[in-house]
C-alpha cells in the first residue's frame, strides 16, 4: 500500500558538461535531493552513479535520515 496517492518531482539534466564527453549526462533531482551522472563508454556500455539523501524515510520520525549510493551498469546490443 502506498502512503501517497500522488507524487511530483523536478529534475535538471545536463549533457556534454565535460569536453570530449558528449554523450555523458548529469542530473540533479529537486524533490529527492539526488545527484546522478551517466558516463557512456562506447556505443554499448554506460555506467550511472546515483547519490540520494533520503530525509524522513517512510515519513516515520523514528527513522533517521540516510544517504544512499547506487551504481548501475547498462549494456546494450
Amino acid at each position: 500500500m502506498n502512503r501517497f496517492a500522488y507524487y511530483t518531482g523536478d529534475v535538471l539534466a545536463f549533457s556534454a558538461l565535460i569536453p570530449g564527453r558528449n554523450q555523458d549526462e548529469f542530473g540533479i533531482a529537486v524533490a529527492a535531493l539526488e545527484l546522478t551522472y551517466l558516463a557512456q563508454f562506447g556505443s554499448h556500455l554506460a555506467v550511472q552513479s546515483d547519490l540520494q539523501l533520503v530525509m524522513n524515510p517512510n515519513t516515520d520520525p523514528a527513522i533517521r535520515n540516510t544517504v544512499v549510493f547506487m551504481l548501475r551498469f547498462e549494456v546494450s546490443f
Side-chain angles (χ1 to χ4, degrees), residues 21-76:
R21 306 282 312 171
N22 296 335
Q23 294 181 325
D24 290 5
E25 299 175 8
F26 174 75
I28 302 170
V30 179
L33 298 176
E34 178 179 359
L35 296 174
T36 184
Y37 189 84
L38 181 126
Q40 187 74 39
F41 297 100
S43 59
H44 300 290
L45 177 65
V47 178
Q48 182 175 10
S49 60
D50 187 81
L51 182 67
Q52 298 179 16
L53 172 61
V54 181
M55 297 171 54
N56 200 10
N58 198 30
T59 65
D60 184 348
I63 301 174
R64 294 175 41 180
N65 297 343
T66 189
V67 176
V68 178
F69 177 77
M70 294 178 279
L71 194 58
R72 181 179 314 157
F73 296 89
E74 178 182 312
V75 178
S76 59

